Amino acid sequence: DAREHLSEDSKQEQLHEMREDHMGEYLTTDQGVRVNHTDDSLKAGERGPTLMEDFHFREKMTQFDHESIPERVVHARGTGAHGYYQPYEDPDLGEYDDISELTKAKFLTDPDRKTPVFTRFSTVVGSRGSSDTVRDVRGFATKFYTEEGNYDLVGNNMPIFFIHDAIKFPDLIHAVKPEPKSSTPQAATAHDTFWDFASLTPEITHMLMWVLSDRALPRAYRMMQGFGVHTFRFINEEGDSRFVKFHWLPKYGTHSLVWDETTKLWGKASDFNRAGLYNAIESGNYPEWELGIQIVEEDDADQFDFDLLDPTKIIPEEDVPVRRIGKLVLNETVDNFFAETEQVAFHPGNVVPGIDFTNDPLLQGRLFSYQDTQLNRFGSANWDEVPINRPLAKRHTNQRAGFMRQTINKGRTSYSPNSLEDDYPREATEEEGGYVHHAEKVKGKKIRSRSESFRNHFSQAKLFWNSMSDPEKQHLVEAAHFELGNVENREVRERVIYEIFNNVDHEFAVRAAEGIGVEPPDEPGTHHPDHDKSSPALSQENTV
Ligand code: HEM
């Protein structure tokens, strides 16, 4: 394999070629012409109109007018940093496992490799300028610039998600984002549309519990767990497939703010998490995570009382322990937020040999969405040429054109197969590192429906509630009071209490109801004390 061996610093070296320090002797135009005067535009007389021929004015203004690009449709608010990932060195210690039997992904198994990474953390709902400390899920996306190509682990700080199927994602986001007429509220789940959607979508229940918990208020990005959420596959050299869940475990431990702190920080330090990451790295206190994996053999996939393809479920760690296989260290802040953090483009479909997908219907839809949205964000398919997105692995593609193409692909041809050019890049066999999709056997009718196995909506939500200490339970109840207390529609409030919370835990439902003017349910399960109002959406669903 003639691939160049990468070092921890290779991404920095690649970026270095694109860096400019603006410290030249003279100010110039974009064309390199020295500027003589930049404070006054060229005019016809001292009090006359500005002249079209003032190329310096026009260039300065045109560049400025085009400085902004669309923000991400979700996860718009974020911050990022560079670092490296390294598999643990000494599997013989017994403390950590050698996983080369499980995956052929070398960046995960070769302890001599330090793979450069870029990680971006984010909130989901708020716009680019919104506050950091809102109640929300946090994104935790890492791009590994591996020798085999870029691998993106595009995760969140919660191990599960709101919905089962990607086709509901636009509905979920429309419900949680500001309403179209008033464009309020900004960055908050505390409003009618979100809770209306939630009350009619029982698969959301487990995630609701996480979102109402202190997990939604991380103290610092470096004190936050991360999760791949979906079940993925590991593929080894022999082509064997196993299921895998990814976890990031922060060295600093997992810590949250309390609600009172977060609301003060909205006003006093709205960059709290962004500044926290920056300051930690600049002061040499490098944030660090261990990468953990849970492995399930294909033959054991049916042993759980939930479906491994259901992204609203965790695999309990008592059943499948988390094995720690390496560490992520963030040790370099960006030089230019726009060029790096804003222009980084993650995509769950960026995989390397050794890692593959499953049929989780949420993951399957994500595989379409990210490149599609990035076409909108960048206005061109060439975003992979932007320095932060460029792989370190050598590229020999048949691409050659498009808006802002930067690579100058030489030669007469750009197609395969090809006999006109000597040594034209050929396809790689699996042994040569060619990516081969796992040959999973599939058979079925084309239908729009969901497996029965996805229908258990409440048991893990109950597990989560039961795992909490009393103060944590109290925080969750108070969060429900605030969030649901802001819902004006009485039926929505009732439906959440009677049809969602009361199926999680009766005591929780009663305590939540007491703070929001809803009559507490008098017995567990779906139940309306005064009238029978079971919603049509729910009557089709199995309530546990
Ligand atoms: C960002 C779609 C579920 C994690 C995004 C973006 C879109 C999107 C369109 C903006 C990307 C960009 O402009 O570059 C979806 C869809 C989902 C889904 C359609 C479900 C069907 C998830 C899940 C996770 C997740 C389950 C976590 C496991 C992220 C993260 C980002 C993101 C971390 C921000 C990446 C960054 O920092 O640039 N998502 N998403 N998303 N998504 Fe998802």
Side-chain angles (χ1 to χ4, degrees):
D1 191 337
R3 284 198 184 100
E4 252 174 57
H5 245 47
L6 303 177
S7 73
E8 176 191 348
D9 301 323
S10 359
K11 188 64 195 174
Q12 289 303 320
E13 285 158 20
Q14 189 197 43
L15 289 174
H16 190 66
E17 290 175 17
M18 304 298 292
R19 286 188 177 121
E20 284 183 18
D21 58 12
H22 295 291
M23 298 306 275
E25 197 177 351
Y26 298 106
L27 187 67
T28 75
T29 66
D30 286 352
Q31 307 305 320
V33 175
R34 288 182 187 171
V35 171
N36 163 261
H37 191 130
T38 193
D39 289 342
D40 295 288
S41 50
L42 191 69
K43 298 183 197 71
E46 272 189 357
R47 303 186 64 241
T50 301
L51 296 175
M52 258 312 226
E53 72 177 57
D54 185 350
F55 56 80
H56 176 50
F57 165 80
R58 285 206 325 271
E59 176 190 89
K60 194 170 168 179
M61 198 56 82
T62 307
Q63 281 286 334
F64 170 75
D65 290 343
H66 294 260
E67 269 178 12
S68 65
I69 62 171
E71 64 176 34
R72 290 167 178 81
V73 61
V74 283
H75 295 263
R77 167 82 188 169
T79 194
H82 297 272
Y84 67 87
Y85 175 78
Q86 186 174 23
Y88 277 130
E89 286 198 25
D90 197 352
D92 298 335
L93 283 177
E95 206 175 348
Y96 305 115
D97 293 305
D98 177 5
I99 61 154
S100 49
E101 297 288 300
L102 305 180
T103 174
K104 60 183 170 183
K106 298 196 182 60
F107 79 100
L108 290 177
T109 52
D110 178 357
D112 292 332
R113 292 193 191 201
K114 275 187 173 179
T115 300
V117 303
F118 186 77
T119 297
R120 182 174 179 272
F121 304 102
S122 48
T123 52
V124 179
V125 181
S127 60
R128 197 148 48 191
S130 56
S131 178
D132 277 346
T133 58
V134 293
R135 177 175 300 284
D136 198 352
V137 182
R138 300 300 187 282
F140 189 143
T142 301
K143 189 179 284 296
F144 299 76
Y145 305 94
T146 89
E147 289 175 32
E148 286 79 29
N150 284 355
Y151 168 61
D152 292 353
L153 181 50
V154 196
N156 280 341
N157 75 326
M158 296 179 192
I160 49 165
F161 203 62
F162 298 91
I163 46 172
H164 288 151
D165 190 314
I167 201 166
K168 290 183 99 162
F169 191 74
D171 299 299
L172 165 71
I173 300 303
H174 287 177
V176 73
K177 285 257 190 185
E179 294 179 26
K181 187 165 157 62
S182 61
S183 199
T184 64
Q186 293 292 316
T189 46
H191 60 129
D192 287 39
T193 57
F194 174 72
W195 286 97
D196 181 39
F197 177 84
S199 70
L200 298 169
T201 311
E203 73 207 51
I204 208 171
T205 308
H206 190 194
M207 187 67 166
L208 275 186
M209 299 301 282
W210 281 76
V211 169
L212 290 174
S213 81
D214 294 343
R215 292 285 185 138
L217 312 171
R219 177 163 290 272
Y221 287 134
R222 64 191 185 283
M223 298 172 190
M224 198 173 82
Q225 281 184 293
F227 301 91
V229 177
H230 314 281
T231 303
F232 291 89
R233 285 177 195 280
F234 266 166
I235 309 291
N236 69 11
E237 291 288 355
E238 284 71 45
D240 305 325
S241 154
R242 292 177 174 83
F243 294 120
V244 58
K245 290 262 193 197
F246 293 111
H247 298 241
W248 288 117
L249 307 155
K251 276 281 195 179
Y252 284 93
T254 305
H255 303 280
S256 297
L257 294 161
V258 293
W259 179 246
D260 187 47
E261 290 174 310
T262 66
T263 49
K264 285 175 179 148
L265 287 166
W266 290 352
K268 290 183 180 169
S270 64
D271 295 316
F272 188 70
N273 293 148
R274 177 180 289 186
L277 184 78
Y278 184 89
N279 293 337
I281 297 175
E282 288 287 306
S283 62
N285 297 309
Y286 301 140
E288 202 175 312
W289 288 261
E290 291 184 295
L291 182 60
I293 53 168
Q294 286 176 295
I295 297 287
V296 176
E297 298 292 334
E298 292 231 346
D299 290 344
D300 297 337
D302 295 334
Q303 74 178 20
F304 303 98
D305 60 0
F306 57 89
D307 195 320
L308 279 185
L309 302 184
D310 174 353
T312 68
K313 303 294 185 305
I314 57 163
I315 305 180
E317 292 179 25
E318 299 78 39
D319 298 339
V320 182
V322 176
R323 298 157 65 164
R324 291 151 193 255
I325 61 167
K327 68 172 179 182
L328 166 74
V329 178
L330 298 181
N331 56 9
E332 188 105 29
T333 54
V334 300
D335 284 316
N336 182 295
F337 189 93
F338 179 83
E340 298 169 72
T341 311
E342 195 59 21
Q343 293 204 103
V344 70
F346 296 96
H347 173 31
N350 288 346
V351 287
V352 293
I355 302 174
D356 208 326
F357 316 116
T358 61
N359 299 330
D360 170 344
L362 190 73
L363 172 61
Q364 291 283 317
R366 290 180 77 197
L367 298 179
F368 164 74
S369 175
Y370 287 71
Q371 281 176 315
D372 184 45
T373 198
Q374 283 151 11
L375 275 173
N376 181 56
R377 202 149 71 79
F378 296 97
S380 146
N382 281 325
W383 70 84
D384 58 290
E385 298 215 316
V386 171
I388 194 68
N389 296 321
R390 255 175 198 268
L392 289 167
K394 282 259 161 28
R395 292 199 290 189
H396 308 278
T397 72
N398 286 339
Q399 265 65 275
R400 65 182 193 184
F403 278 114
M404 309 301 284
R405 183 77 187 163
Q406 291 172 53
T407 308
I408 304 171
N409 305 97
K410 296 194 289 183
R412 248 180 97 190
T413 63
S414 51
Y415 58 83
S416 305
N418 185 316
S419 73
L420 297 185
E421 297 204 56
D422 293 337
D423 300 328
Y424 198 78
R426 61 183 174 81
E427 296 150 320
T429 63
E430 195 166 357
E431 291 69 38
E432 290 166 332
Y435 188 92
V436 177
H437 289 265
H438 177 60
E440 184 189 1
K441 199 169 182 179
V442 286
K443 192 172 165 234
K445 291 181 185 160
K446 282 193 236 170
I447 41 167
R448 283 189 193 274
S449 78
R450 213 168 296 178
S451 163
E452 281 294 317
S453 57
F454 281 46
R455 290 223 167 184
N456 175 347
H457 305 311
F458 302 119
S459 58
Q460 288 206 350
K462 188 171 190 63
L463 210 64
F464 183 74
W465 169 257
N466 287 339
S467 76
M468 311 229 109
S469 63
D470 286 343
E472 286 172 317
K473 283 184 174 167
Q474 184 57 26
H475 289 178
L476 214 141
V477 169
E478 285 167 12
H481 289 171
F482 176 78
E483 298 285 320
L484 273 172
N486 274 285
V487 170
E488 286 173 17
N489 186 297
R490 188 181 174 79
E491 284 189 13
V492 170
R493 265 186 278 155
E494 287 180 349
R495 214 160 41 224
V496 173
I497 298 290
Y498 301 148
E499 302 190 21
I500 304 285
F501 290 175
N502 205 32
N503 278 307
V504 176
D505 184 90
H506 182 58
E507 179 210 329
F508 169 54
V510 169
R511 285 168 67 184
E514 280 167 350
I516 58 166
V518 169
E519 192 183 327
D522 46 21
E523 58 186 74
T526 302
H527 179 68
H528 297 260
D530 46 352
H531 40 79
D532 181 13
K533 270 199 255 170
S534 220
S535 66
L538 283 170
S539 56
Q540 294 162 19
E541 298 279 350
N542 178 353
T543 51
V544 180

